[in-house]
Amino acid sequence: GALSEPGVVSCASKILFPSSGQGNVLNAAGGAIFISGSSIYDGWMQEDGPQYNLSKDTGFGCAAGVLVQKRFFLETGGFDEYYFHSVEESDLGWRAWLMGYKVRYVPTAVMYHAMGGTAFAGKGMTPAILFLVLRNSLYFIVKNFEGWTAVRGMALFFLKTIYTLGYALGTRNKAVFQAVGKALGCFLKDHGKAFQAREVMQKRRKVKDCDLQKLGVLAGVRDVIRATFAGLKGQKKYAGKGLYDIE
């Protein structure tokens, strides 16, 4: 079966947007994790092609279409309920790799995902979702990374947050300022939970962060920049043309 390969406890599917006449556009073909606590879907907003038809190890599977071994899922706590929205899927994949298991991308498992109605509301990410993404990213950094990785992750997280605030200032978007402030305040209130989760995860650790970066599970800066610009280019081309589940 899909999980019969030694060490594999999770399989990511190839996820496409409903075509709407735009061809086969990828939502996700596996993914990688960045030290800022965010994650990157492989192939996001790219045309499907031969390079996405190869089975490979991957960091995590998009939760819209991921297969997880039941025993591993239950024994390690399932999805961390603190996240509520976003990051829970990459947290699960990271947990597998951290404990010495594998996540495999299986391109023959294909599904279609009409996405975005809750998170984007037709006008970009809503302040409510921005709050959750920021709060959850901080929690992920503290919970999952070794010390030096966590320090670098925090630095990059705050650089990105400052950029977000600068953009909000330029556009006079008070809701973004409120979302950022709420996220930071909420994390400060909940930091004890994050450090408790950290203690559990570091006890389970069997693989170092540097080794996971060599495997491509933890994405390098160049990988993130390349994927970000490719995704923005694809989003400019395809978003708003029926790919999102937005009215």
Side-chain angles (χ1 to χ4, degrees):
L3 303 178
S4 62
E5 184 177 330
V8 174
V9 294
S10 180
C11 292
S13 62
K14 176 190 286 189
I15 303 178
L16 300 164
F17 289 104
S19 64
S20 300
Q22 299 299 318
N24 292 323
V25 182
L26 285 161
N27 177 171
I33 295 152
F34 192 39
I35 59 174
S36 63
S38 58
S39 56
I40 304 166
Y41 290 141
D42 291 342
W44 167 257
M45 285 285 177
Q46 304 302 303
E47 280 280 349
D48 190 15
Q51 69 269 37
Y52 300 112
N53 291 331
L54 302 174
S55 181
K56 62 176 183 177
D57 289 340
T58 192
F60 69 97
C62 174
V66 64
L67 184 68
V68 185
Q69 185 188 72
K70 181 178 179 180
R71 184 174 64 181
F72 167 80
F73 187 78
L74 295 178
E75 288 181 353
T76 62
F79 287 120
D80 187 330
E81 294 184 1
Y82 182 83
Y83 293 113
F84 179 69
H85 179 287
S86 79
V87 189
E88 74 282 351
E89 56 193 5
S90 51
D91 182 88
L92 183 66
W94 179 264
R95 187 189 316 158
W97 284 102
L98 199 74
M99 295 175 64
Y101 299 110
K102 295 180 180 181
V103 181
R104 192 79 178 163
Y105 168 60
V106 182
T108 52
V110 180
M111 66 167 288
Y112 292 86
H113 183 204
M115 65 155 288
T118 301
F120 299 101
K123 299 180 180 179
M125 186 180 291
T126 65
I129 299 303
L130 176 62
F131 152 68
L132 290 169
V133 169
L134 293 175
R135 183 200 68 166
N136 293 353
S137 294
L138 280 171
Y139 180 87
F140 184 97
I141 292 169
V142 172
K143 173 185 176 182
N144 288 306
F145 292 145
E146 291 177 305
W148 178 233
T149 312
V151 170
R152 291 185 295 140
M154 284 288 188
L156 285 170
F157 171 86
F158 283 109
L159 282 175
K160 289 174 62 179
T161 302
I162 290 170
Y163 174 83
T164 300
L165 290 174
Y167 178 81
L169 182 63
T171 57
R172 299 181 179 181
N173 192 331
K174 294 182 180 179
V176 169
F177 277 93
Q178 292 170 348
V180 171
K182 184 180 177 182
L184 296 178
C186 188
F187 178 76
L188 287 174
K189 178 176 69 70
D190 293 341
H191 73 278
K193 294 180 181 178
F195 281 98
Q196 287 175 2
R198 176 182 180 81
E199 185 177 356
V200 172
M201 287 308 301
Q202 300 314 309
K203 285 181 178 178
R204 290 173 170 173
R205 177 185 289 275
K206 294 183 179 180
V207 184
K208 292 184 176 295
D209 290 352
C210 60
D211 294 325
L212 293 175
Q213 186 163 0
K214 291 176 183 177
L215 292 170
V217 174
L218 187 61
V221 175
R222 291 181 181 178
D223 296 325
V224 173
I225 293 173
R226 182 166 54 248
T228 298
F229 278 97
L232 289 173
K233 184 178 179 181
Q235 190 163 341
K236 183 178 180 180
K237 181 177 180 181
Y238 296 113
K241 297 183 178 181
L243 295 182
Y244 289 115
D245 183 19
I246 297 173
E247 295 298 333

